[in-house]
Amino acid sequence: MICEVEMSYTEQFGVKPGRALKLDKIDPAFTDCRESHKDAAKELDRDRDKLRSLQELLYADGRFSLLICLQGLDAGGKDGTINHILGAMNPQGCSVVGFKQPTREEVAHDFLWRIHQQTPPRGRVTIFNRSHYEDVLVVRVHELVPEAVWSHRYEQINAFESALVDDNTHILKFFLHISKKEQLRRFKERLDDPAKQWKISESDYKERRFWGDYKRAYEDALSRCSSKRAPWFVIPSDHKWFRNLAVARIVVEYLEGLKMRFPRPSVDIEHIRREYHAAKER
Ligand code: AMP
Ligand code: MG
């Protein structure tokens, strides 16, 4: 089943630059016209195939790189999304970088230092599992630096991203939006499943208490740092299959819009073709 969408997901889930964002107005359980994973199976397959060819084209074309930033609360589905997107691509052209609490060396530098070192070179795709946005999210919520410092970071982030885009590093940023209820359900699943218990961290339940603070921090970060050139998307993520579908679709639409091309062969194809035919005759 393919939904007859009136609006592309790029438009529908894109955060309008500079406009106030209210996450409560976005339903985390939205699935468009589909009722189950089964309804989405064909589309998921189709987009996975497209992702694979587009990433190969990005690699061959060699002019652009793609940076995907994933943000979300605990159990929001960052790992699952990475698995889905990268699972479709050739591992030789991709990488994943996770950002945890900064090390002593990292905090001794400006907050973008560790980030810039990991941005993708031309022809490649990098996914950030958490990103420089932690420095206006967890850092703001827990007052790890004074407000005078974090409040200046939105502008610094915009300037940094703009410089990357100028240099053909394209940036897509996804906030995986889950409900508080779904987060609790996923925590419970982790508690009950021995294969998932390793994912539980001490801070998970503690951080739930800051749900409202995180929501406000996300609303500010997304509306202040979404731009046409480095857009943020709010992805309804209570249903993992819909989340995967929406993220993959937006990446596909974006890459298709880049008008990439295979480079001209560096060898004389006609000459090699003649050699091939001559070899066949022998
Ligand atoms: P996880 O992604 O579950 O492995 O957890 C990584 C942890 O590192 C999360 O609790 C993040 O909030 C935290 N973290 C990531 N970046 C920063 C940062 N810049 N400052 C403080 N904590 C951070
Ligand atoms: Mg965690």
Side-chain angles (χ1 to χ4, degrees):
M1 169 182 190
I2 307 248
C3 282
E4 298 235 349
V5 283
E6 281 170 24
M7 213 195 269
S8 71
Y9 287 158
T10 302
E11 251 179 280
Q12 193 170 347
F13 300 136
V15 176
K16 309 279 172 295
R19 238 191 270 163
L21 171 71
K22 284 275 160 241
L23 286 172
D24 284 341
K25 294 215 171 121
I26 302 170
D27 177 11
F30 179 78
T31 56
D32 219 346
C33 62
R34 308 168 195 84
E35 277 173 18
S36 69
H37 189 175
K38 225 171 97 204
D39 286 343
K42 273 206 186 106
E43 290 173 277
L44 282 161
D45 281 350
R46 192 192 59 189
D47 287 341
R48 198 179 285 130
D49 291 347
K50 283 190 181 176
L51 268 183
R52 175 145 192 124
S53 331
L54 284 162
Q55 181 248 325
E56 185 172 286
L57 181 56
L58 181 99
Y59 186 84
D61 179 299
R63 288 176 297 159
F64 310 105
S65 56
L66 177 66
L67 172 61
I68 297 175
C69 296
L70 289 183
Q71 286 287 159
L73 295 171
D74 292 310
K78 297 186 287 298
D79 294 337
T81 308
I82 291 169
N83 217 347
H84 183 76
I85 299 292
L86 285 197
M89 296 182 175
N90 182 339
Q92 290 196 97
C94 315
S95 48
V96 184
V97 187
F99 292 97
K100 310 235 173 221
Q101 265 191 338
T103 61
R104 269 171 76 175
E105 191 189 15
E106 286 167 350
V107 275
H109 289 83
D110 70 276
F111 76 102
L112 293 168
W113 180 74
R114 66 173 181 163
I115 306 293
H116 205 168
Q117 295 174 59
Q118 303 291 352
T119 57
R122 275 179 256 287
R124 299 184 62 101
V125 178
T126 296
I127 302 196
F128 281 179
N129 181 347
R130 302 185 190 272
S131 64
H132 41 305
Y133 284 91
E134 290 292 323
D135 291 279
V136 288
L137 295 166
V138 65
V139 168
R140 164 174 163 170
V141 169
H142 292 293
E143 299 172 25
L144 302 181
V145 299
E147 180 169 351
V149 175
W150 62 252
S151 62
H152 190 46
R153 286 181 174 167
Y154 303 102
E155 273 170 46
Q156 292 172 321
I157 289 174
N158 286 338
F160 169 65
E161 291 183 355
S162 178
L164 289 178
V165 179
D166 282 343
D167 206 38
N168 275 346
T169 298
H170 292 270
I171 309 174
L172 298 173
K173 302 171 289 195
F174 297 95
F175 170 60
L176 308 180
H177 181 41
I178 55 167
S179 62
K180 219 175 163 185
K181 201 168 138 210
E182 174 65 11
Q183 187 193 47
L184 198 62
R185 197 194 63 74
R186 292 186 189 178
F187 282 173
K188 173 85 167 64
E189 206 173 74
R190 290 181 179 182
L191 278 175
D192 295 343
D193 181 352
K196 289 188 176 166
Q197 284 167 356
W198 65 274
K199 282 196 167 199
I200 300 172
S201 85
E202 285 269 350
S203 66
D204 287 352
Y205 285 97
K206 268 191 233 146
E207 289 301 280
R208 252 176 94 75
R209 281 194 259 132
F210 297 96
W211 189 276
D213 294 332
Y214 272 111
K215 198 174 69 186
R216 279 182 289 280
Y218 267 109
E219 286 170 346
D220 278 351
L222 271 54
S223 65
R224 296 183 66 173
C225 299
S226 188
S227 63
K228 215 164 178 269
R229 306 175 79 214
W232 264 109
F233 299 92
V234 177
I235 304 296
S237 298
D238 273 3
H239 297 283
K240 296 172 182 176
W241 56 268
F242 183 75
R243 171 203 74 204
N244 287 344
L245 179 89
V247 174
R249 180 72 48 83
I250 291 169
V251 175
V252 163
E253 284 172 1
Y254 191 84
L255 289 177
E256 282 177 343
L258 282 184
K259 305 276 175 269
M260 297 182 286
R261 54 176 190 258
F262 288 109
R264 283 171 170 280
S266 55
V267 292
D268 181 345
I269 294 289
E270 275 317 309
H271 176 73
I272 292 177
R273 191 169 281 137
R274 280 194 299 275
E275 299 235 328
Y276 164 77
H277 285 300
K280 238 173 72 179
E281 305 283 296
R282 281 198 290 271

